[in-house]
Amino acid sequence: MSATGSNTVRRPSRSGLAVLFGALVSLLTTMLLSAPGAAGREGAEAAPTAALTEVTNFGSNPSNLQMYLYVPDSVTANPAVVVAVHYCTGSGPAMYSGTEYASLADRYGFIVVYPSVTRASKCFDVASPQALKRGGGSDPVGIKSMVDWVTRTYSADTGRIFATGISSGAMMTNVLLGDYPDVFAAGAAFSGVPFACFATTNGSEWNSECSGGNSIHTPQEWGDLVRNAYPGYTGPRPRMQVWHGTEDDVLRYPNFDEQIKQWTNVLGVSQTPAATDSPQSGWTRTRYGATGDRAPVEAISLQGVGHNLYANGMAARALTFFGLDSSGPAPQPQPGACKVTATTSAWSTGLTGSVTITNTGTTRIDGWKLGFTLPSGQSITNGWGATYAPASGAVTATNATYNGTIAANASVSIGYQANHTGNSARPGAFTLNGTTCTSS
């Protein structure tokens, strides 16, 4: 198959058949000796490696999507599959060149599928009744066919199929996980909306109420929309990671919380975070149902960031959530491995907070982040023993260079000063590297 997916075959003349046959035997012998990784695949269909390739005739495709594929030279046996879905006005090739999924596939050996819209808007259908029902037609059916083609051709691991996307692709990620919970293990949606939030019945691709952040439902209502896409399904549901900028002016920020409500309900976990931290300045990460890298729901809010939030490095974080990076499935930290003692001493409009972190586990901690939420009206003005970000709300204190190691049964003391507007209480809960600590 060529890089454009053309499979044109020209019939040779009789006089050239013998020469052609001999050349083919030689070529096939060379391929068999030099490409043992192709064993077990449908070799006639397999795409070239280390190149973006268009695949045609991949199966049912009611909305005429294009399928682009990236298979690394290092593709593993029974590889995982990542479906990377583009934004409005984008394309599969643009998603390939504008994200790091192909280079990460080179590192970790998985396969990347890049669906590509052919309709004029270059937006995925996440609105029609057909799109919001398992097997109903439109884009989700075509994408499911792409996954099936890869699974057949490369004996892909059906337990490690993932979806991720940006904007329209993030909305499609929500749709794919709702329509095909038996296909996808997890998803990562960058600037999206909940499943069925964009639903329309008049043929329109756009839903202004949803995009404006005005579609507000209870968790149960959101969860029912997902469950109604595949009535009667009782199997496991895919995990979800959502990303959103607080200043998104295309798909407004309330859609972030609505996705959290939806997927915590679908997965049957509490809406109260099990862990809160700040993996990067201006980011607030909350995890629901567990505290580790593969929690059922993970949500990352980017303060002051608009709709185009995707940046290099985020794909790697999605892979960590999927469990596809070199660390593999992350062990869940065990509660009770830390203790925090915190006090405050207040005056008229200010206070001093003193915090002691004790490692009550049996192994040394090398590098730590302490997460806590300041009471309303408090804002940190300076601190010692750690760096603090952001100054209010969900705060992460990151170790200094001299106190990053805490031996088993050892302690570290830090502190901060803060302004307050009347509430001078200490934070009520703490997490250390994602683990909930006992506190007093």
Side-chain angles (χ1 to χ4, degrees), residues 229-306:
Y230 188 4
Y233 178 73
T234 58
R237 295 278 179 173
R239 297 177 299 110
M240 175 60 95
Q241 181 189 66
V242 296
W243 299 68
H244 223 100
T246 61
E247 300 304 314
D248 193 324
D249 59 354
V250 177
L251 301 173
R252 298 285 182 176
Y253 186 65
N255 284 300
F256 177 66
D257 286 332
E258 298 306 295
Q259 287 177 92
I260 294 171
K261 287 158 64 175
Q262 182 171 67
W263 292 105
T264 52
N265 180 267
V266 168
L267 288 158
V269 299
S270 172
Q271 283 187 264
T272 301
T276 301
D277 65 0
S278 181
Q280 188 167 309
S281 178
W283 294 13
T284 299
R285 178 173 61 188
T286 47
R287 287 167 167 166
Y288 303 83
T291 58
D293 287 335
R294 300 183 71 194
V297 177
E298 180 174 272
I300 302 95
S301 173
L302 281 65
Q303 182 65 39
V305 176

Side-chain angles (χ1 to χ4, degrees), residues 170-439:
M171 293 192 278
M172 178 52 73
T173 296
N174 278 265
V175 169
L176 290 171
L177 268 59
D179 285 355
Y180 296 103
D182 54 335
V183 173
F184 293 95
F190 296 85
S191 302
V193 303
F195 177 94
C197 183
F198 243 60
T200 60
T201 56
N202 60 1
S204 173
E205 295 181 41
W206 193 259
N207 184 318
S208 296
E209 182 180 11
C210 178
S211 66
N214 297 314
S215 291
I216 308 298
H217 294 289
T218 66
Q220 183 69 34
E221 289 169 340
W222 280 125
D224 286 345
L225 289 169
V226 170
R227 287 181 285 269
N228 289 340
Y230 188 4
Y233 178 73
T234 58
R237 295 278 179 173
R239 297 177 299 110
M240 175 60 95
Q241 181 189 66
V242 296
W243 299 68
H244 223 100
T246 61
E247 300 304 314
D248 193 324
D249 59 354
V250 177
L251 301 173
R252 298 285 182 176
Y253 186 65
N255 284 300
F256 177 66
D257 286 332
E258 298 306 295
Q259 287 177 92
I260 294 171
K261 287 158 64 175
Q262 182 171 67
W263 292 105
T264 52
N265 180 267
V266 168
L267 288 158
V269 299
S270 172
Q271 283 187 264
T272 301
T276 301
D277 65 0
S278 181
Q280 188 167 309
S281 178
W283 294 13
T284 299
R285 178 173 61 188
T286 47
R287 287 167 167 166
Y288 303 83
T291 58
D293 287 335
R294 300 183 71 194
V297 177
E298 180 174 272
I300 302 95
S301 173
L302 281 65
Q303 182 65 39
V305 176
H307 185 64
N308 297 321
L309 64 76
Y310 183 86
N312 285 347
M314 292 181 178
R317 291 183 180 272
L319 289 194
T320 297
F321 180 73
F322 294 163
L324 292 184
D325 62 359
S326 58
S327 64
Q332 298 294 307
Q334 295 301 308
C338 52
K339 178 182 178 181
V340 174
T341 302
T343 60
T344 58
S345 177
W347 59 94
S348 57
T349 60
L351 61 86
T352 298
S354 299
V355 180
T356 298
I357 308 163
T358 302
N359 175 10
T360 58
T362 58
T363 59
R364 183 179 67 186
I365 296 172
D366 290 313
W368 52 263
K369 292 180 183 290
L370 183 72
F372 56 91
T373 299
L374 287 176
S376 177
Q378 294 186 17
S379 178
I380 294 175
T381 56
N382 63 79
W384 51 93
T387 56
Y388 299 80
S392 60
V395 177
T396 298
T398 303
N399 67 268
T401 55
Y402 60 83
N403 65 1
T405 298
I406 311 178
N409 298 313
S411 299
V412 167
S413 293
I414 63 175
Y416 58 88
Q417 287 187 325
N419 295 326
H420 70 83
T421 58
N423 185 351
S424 60
R426 70 178 186 88
F430 298 86
T431 61
L432 186 65
N433 292 353
T435 297
T436 300
C437 301
T438 59
S439 62

Side-chain angles (χ1 to χ4, degrees), residues 58 61 63-67 115-118 124 139 142-143 146:
F58 50 82
N61 184 23
S63 55
N64 195 34
L65 297 178
Q66 292 175 289
M67 174 184 175
S116 195
V117 169
T118 57
F124 285 90
D139 296 348
I143 295 173
M146 298 177 195

Side-chain angles (χ1 to χ4, degrees), residues 30-51:
T30 300
M31 290 173 65
L32 288 170
L33 289 173
S34 62
R41 304 176 192 153
E42 297 177 17
E45 293 185 73
T49 58

